[in-house]
Coordinates of all heavy atoms in Angstrom, one line a residue:
T126 N 124.4 99.3 69.8 CA 125.8 99.5 69.6 C 126.6 98.9 70.9 O 126.3 99.2 72.0 CB 126.2 100.9 69.4 OG1 125.4 101.4 68.3 CG2 127.6 101.1 69.0
A127 N 127.8 98.3 70.6 CA 128.6 98.0 71.7 C 129.8 99.0 71.8 O 130.4 99.5 70.9 CB 129.3 96.6 71.4
A128 N 130.0 99.3 73.1 CA 131.1 100.3 73.4 C 132.3 99.6 74.0 O 132.2 98.5 74.5 CB 130.6 101.4 74.5
E129 N 133.4 100.3 73.9 CA 134.7 99.5 74.4 C 135.0 99.9 75.8 O 135.9 99.4 76.5 CB 135.9 100.1 73.5 CG 135.8 99.5 72.1 CD 137.0 99.8 71.3 OE1 137.9 100.4 71.7 OE2 137.0 99.4 70.1
S130 N 134.3 101.0 76.4 CA 134.5 101.3 77.8 C 133.2 102.0 78.3 O 132.3 102.5 77.5 CB 135.7 102.1 78.0 OG 135.4 103.4 77.3
T131 N 133.1 102.1 79.6 CA 132.0 103.0 80.1 C 132.0 104.4 79.7 O 131.0 104.9 79.2 CB 132.1 102.9 81.7 OG1 131.8 101.6 82.2 CG2 130.9 103.8 82.3
A132 N 133.3 105.0 79.8 CA 133.5 106.4 79.2 C 133.0 106.5 77.7 O 132.3 107.5 77.4 CB 135.0 106.8 79.3
D133 N 133.4 105.6 76.9 CA 132.9 105.6 75.5 C 131.4 105.4 75.3 O 130.8 106.2 74.5 CB 133.6 104.4 74.7 CG 133.2 104.4 73.3 OD1 133.2 105.4 72.6 OD2 133.1 103.4 72.8
A134 N 130.8 104.5 76.2 CA 129.3 104.4 76.0 C 128.5 105.7 76.5 O 127.5 106.0 75.9 CB 129.0 103.2 77.0
V135 N 129.2 106.4 77.5 CA 128.2 107.5 78.0 C 128.5 108.9 77.4 O 127.8 109.8 77.8 CB 128.5 107.6 79.6 CG1 128.2 106.3 80.3 CG2 129.9 108.1 80.0
K136 N 129.5 109.0 76.5 CA 129.9 110.3 76.1 C 128.9 111.1 75.4 O 128.9 112.3 75.6 CB 131.2 110.1 75.1 CG 130.9 109.3 73.9 CD 132.1 109.2 73.0 CE 131.9 108.5 71.7 NZ 133.1 108.3 71.0
D137 N 127.9 110.5 74.8 CA 126.8 111.2 74.2 C 125.5 110.9 74.7 O 124.4 111.3 74.1 CB 126.8 111.0 72.7 CG 128.1 111.3 72.0 OD1 128.5 112.6 72.4 OD2 128.6 110.7 71.2
A138 N 125.4 110.3 75.9 CA 124.1 109.8 76.4 C 123.3 110.9 77.1 O 123.8 111.7 77.8 CB 124.4 108.7 77.4
E139 N 122.0 110.8 76.9 CA 121.1 111.5 77.7 C 120.6 110.9 78.9 O 120.4 111.5 79.9 CB 119.9 111.8 76.7 CG 120.0 112.6 75.5 CD 118.9 112.5 74.5 OE1 118.4 111.4 74.3 OE2 118.6 113.6 74.1
V140 N 120.5 109.5 78.8 CA 120.1 108.6 80.0 C 121.2 107.5 80.1 O 121.6 107.0 79.1 CB 118.7 108.0 79.8 CG1 118.5 107.0 81.0 CG2 117.7 109.1 79.7
I141 N 121.7 107.2 81.4 CA 122.7 106.3 81.6 C 122.1 105.3 82.5 O 121.7 105.5 83.6 CB 124.0 106.9 82.1 CG1 124.4 107.9 81.2 CG2 125.0 105.8 82.5 CD1 125.4 108.9 81.9
A142 N 121.9 103.9 82.1 CA 121.4 102.9 82.9 C 122.6 102.1 83.5 O 123.4 101.8 82.7 CB 120.4 102.0 82.2
V143 N 122.6 101.8 84.7 CA 123.5 101.0 85.3 C 123.0 99.8 86.0 O 122.0 99.8 86.8 CB 124.4 101.8 86.4 CG1 125.4 101.0 87.2 CG2 124.9 103.0 85.8
M144 N 123.5 98.5 85.7 CA 123.0 97.3 86.2 C 124.2 96.4 86.6 O 124.7 95.7 85.7 CB 122.1 96.6 85.3 CG 121.5 95.2 85.8 SD 120.7 95.4 87.5 CE 119.0 95.4 87.0
V145 N 124.8 96.6 87.8 CA 126.0 95.8 88.1 C 125.7 95.2 89.6 O 124.8 95.7 90.2 CB 127.3 96.8 88.1 CG1 127.6 97.1 86.6 CG2 127.1 97.9 89.0
P146 N 126.7 94.3 90.0 CA 126.2 93.4 91.1 C 126.2 94.1 92.4 O 125.2 93.9 93.2 CB 127.3 92.4 91.1 CG 127.9 92.4 89.7 CD 127.8 93.8 89.3
D147 N 127.1 95.1 92.8 CA 127.2 95.4 94.3 C 127.7 96.9 94.4 O 127.9 97.6 93.4 CB 128.2 94.5 94.9 CG 128.0 94.4 96.5 OD1 127.2 95.2 97.0 OD2 128.6 93.6 97.1
S148 N 127.6 97.3 95.6 CA 128.0 98.8 95.9 C 129.2 99.3 95.4 O 129.4 100.2 94.8 CB 127.9 99.1 97.5 OG 126.6 98.7 98.0
P149 N 130.4 98.4 95.5 CA 131.7 98.9 95.0 C 131.7 98.9 93.5 O 132.3 99.8 92.9 CB 132.6 97.7 95.5 CG 132.0 97.1 96.7 CD 130.5 97.2 96.4
D150 N 130.9 98.1 92.8 CA 130.8 98.2 91.4 C 130.2 99.5 90.9 O 130.6 100.0 90.0 CB 130.0 97.0 90.9 CG 130.7 95.6 91.4 OD1 131.9 95.3 91.0 OD2 129.9 94.9 92.2
V151 N 129.0 99.8 91.5 CA 128.3 101.0 91.2 C 129.3 102.2 91.5 O 129.4 103.2 90.7 CB 127.0 101.1 92.0 CG1 126.3 102.6 91.7 CG2 126.0 100.0 91.6

Side-chain angles (χ1 to χ4, degrees):
T126 305
E129 295 185 357
S130 67
T131 296
D133 181 42
V135 305
K136 63 184 180 182
D137 298 315
E139 298 167 310
V140 176
I141 301 162
V143 178
M144 177 60 99
V145 294
D147 204 351
S148 300
D150 305 297
V151 175

